[in-house]
Amino acid sequence: MATIFRLPICSWKSGKDTVTVRVIDDGYDEVIVTSRTVKDAVSQIKEHLAYLSKTDSWQLFEPDFFEPELRILKFSVLPEYNHNGRRFPCRDAMAFRMPCIIGKREDGSPVGCLPSLGVYFDYHREDSFEKLAIHIAQRLLSGKNPRELSRYLNPGPVDLEQLTVAVKEPNIRYGSQRNLQPLSDVADYIGSESFRKSSNTWEREDEVFQLTNLLEEENSSICLIGPSGCGKTSILIEAARKVERRQEAGSERRRFWITSGARLIAGMRWLGQWEERLEEVIQQLAQIEGVLCIENLSELTRLGGSEAETSIAAFFAPYLEHRELRIVVEATPEEFDACERVLPGLTDRLQILKLNAFDSTQSKRILSLAAENHSRNDNVIFGPVASSRVFGLFQRFQPYVAFPGKVIQFTAGVVDRANEDRVEEITSQRVEDAFSKYSGLPEFLTHTDTPFEPESMLSFFSSRVIDQPAAVDATIRTVAKFATGLNDPNRPIGVLLFCGPTGVGKTQMVRSLGDYLFPNRPANERIIRLDMSEYAGWNAPERLLGKRFGQPSDLIRRVRANPFCILLLDEIEKASDEVFDIFLSVFEEGRLTDPLGRVTSFQSSLIVMTSNLGAGASGNIGFAGEAGKETSIGKVDPSAVTNFFRPEFFNRIDQTIFFDPLERKSIEAIARKEIKELSQREGLADAGRSLIVEPELIEQIARSGFDPVYGARPLQRAVEDFLTTPLAKWLIANPETKGEITARWDRKTSETIFDT
């Protein structure tokens, strides 16, 4: 392993074109270098100490000069000439401004140093320091002539810094992978084979050049700031390669290692365990003058402890301050701002390189270059029409996705599937098919040759949501606006409020929307449902967003995984006021920012809220009067809705849809629908059986499923009681039955009878 020495150094201008650097420690009083630049002088000192560590390690001493502080002494000295043993004083004294460094020894006693004279002295009290230091300086300069004194006259700028030297144990070659543990366990060398196929840096030549120059500067730590997916990692890998190519031939140093916050502390369970590992990693990096590249800044502030002050970022901060560690970290603008609020000591140590988003022209050109690259190397023809279609689909349906990250990954996936299918040319049709699977959207949205048919949409929703024509019409208008590209791309697809009594089809409408908009996605991934009664109380925002320094909430994780989704906020009126405040920005901008600056986009989400506000105030809940008669009983009172929500919240809702109470005839229609779905279940359809239910049994199910409080919800229980359960018992008793099965209601026995 290595020992870290931290030595204070003082530099000053000692000539017209030279500077002098001295190590401030009386154990190293002879370590002084004059060179053209401070950087070159420091490099010579490091080489000298490294040489001593290999050959004469007994000459290395533990530092004994701490808490250094620069002072400037002002005094005068009378020059004089010496001739044949006689002194001839000059008439005028010479004024001096001499640097002096004060500090403490390891035992706490104060110590001073006059670096330009190479003198150390001890003193006892602060009030006696200056008088003693001037006395020592005047005594050492007395008897000198003007020419000799001119060497010590007022220097130029004087700087006090700290030099960090890693003194390694002999006979260890840190270039070998085996001797770089635990560094090689928690990070990957950027020059390895796995990184040679990283994405190209088209249109980022200037940023690569800037980063290369920053990486070649000594001890500079850098933060790459740009939207997620804009190419930060690719730029870093390319710049690191350029720096390593300029190293001396045959060098075994492996300078650039990439990792993540989670990987740095993976497997560390006990108190202090991960800190010990990172200390070893930092020492190994110092041996090879290595740079640790970290993929996500917010992970550093979130992992390691319960608060930012005990996180990995806080652990790194003093090492960055003393320049014992160099890092290159990636962050979005929001993540950097959040880190600056909680740990300004970390961000102050980072040089900033910002990456601007590409404009449309640059994005198209990059996609064209990527397509040409695939055509050359992957045995496919990826023409300009297909690449233009990729750009159009992402621009239309995912405008918030930073280019080129996910877009380039998508094109690579299209090429891989084409090779698997042995297809020679990638057409627009193939791109559209792939995007439909990637996003889960239906073909009428992603395919140019598939027309949008409002009539089929009306039939689809009307068959699933019974006797709610106004609600179906309003929902169709929202979908049509999205299908024709007339929705605002900077907001969610739509923000709808479904109001009505319980059991009238509000949730069923949401399920139908999921089935219609995302047919290419598993049923359990089409809707993200939040029961808003769970988000009441003082800590509701934390449960909605996730803990400040913990993992994101389930909502955020699911929306990030599937940005195209339907978000159902069930019984929205039960949420706390703080939750309403959070959704204000979601409804207005389609963005949700958590306390650590992690942004989640809702611009491809359809947000639906359900509520029972104003329902049942004037009569039965869930049902209207007798069939065929107009009545206001059970209808929603719109004023109850508008009075509940604050104006700034209600004004962000695109449309409020009121569901009518169900009439008795509606219950029979819903019963027929439930029975039809039962006929398609595995025990009937896959076994070659069909079910015929006579009208009298349907009426009986509808009568039993009628409930003025719970709407149509009891209907499913009635279907189970009067049809599903008796049918299951009958099939167990008659397992060989095939073909048609007739179900009828026997009034005498009050039970369901089955015949074949």
Side-chain angles (χ1 to χ4, degrees), residues 497 532 569-575 580 609-611 645:
L497 174 61
M532 300 312 291
L569 307 178
D570 208 3
E571 298 186 288
I572 183 65
E573 72 275 8
K574 295 182 179 179
F580 281 101
M609 299 172 283
T610 65
S611 174
F645 296 108

Side-chain angles (χ1 to χ4, degrees), residues 296-318:
N296 190 299
L297 176 61
S298 69
E299 271 196 344
L300 293 185
T301 58
R302 180 167 51 86
L303 299 178
S306 58
E307 298 291 337
E309 292 76 10
T310 56
S311 65
I312 301 174
F315 179 83
F316 279 161

Side-chain angles (χ1 to χ4, degrees), residues 302-415:
R302 180 167 51 86
L303 299 178
S306 58
E307 298 291 337
E309 292 76 10
T310 56
S311 65
I312 301 174
F315 179 83
F316 279 161
Y319 290 96
L320 295 175
E321 181 180 358
H322 297 308
R323 298 186 178 181
E324 299 168 8
L325 171 67
R326 290 187 69 191
I327 65 172
V328 180
V329 63
E330 302 174 19
T332 65
E334 296 82 5
E335 288 171 348
F336 185 82
D337 291 343
C339 183
E340 197 168 29
R341 291 193 300 270
V342 297
L343 278 179
L346 176 69
T347 55
D348 290 345
R349 308 297 172 190
L350 302 174
Q351 296 191 51
I352 305 303
L353 179 58
K354 292 186 177 181
L355 307 181
N356 296 320
F358 290 115
D359 58 31
S360 296
T361 302
Q362 290 174 309
S363 300
K364 290 179 180 178
R365 189 158 55 240
I366 291 171
L367 267 177
S368 178
L369 291 170
E372 292 174 5
N373 187 57
H374 286 304
S375 298
R376 281 194 307 270
N377 302 319
D378 296 312
N379 300 318
V380 295
I381 300 173
F382 204 136
V385 175
S387 66
S388 178
R389 186 58 183 148
V390 172
F391 175 79
L393 287 169
F394 275 91
Q395 188 73 6
R396 165 73 177 85
F397 295 108
Q398 290 193 339
Y400 51 85
V401 171
F403 199 87
K406 291 185 178 180
V407 185
I408 296 298
Q409 293 175 12
F410 172 79
T411 59
V414 173
V415 171

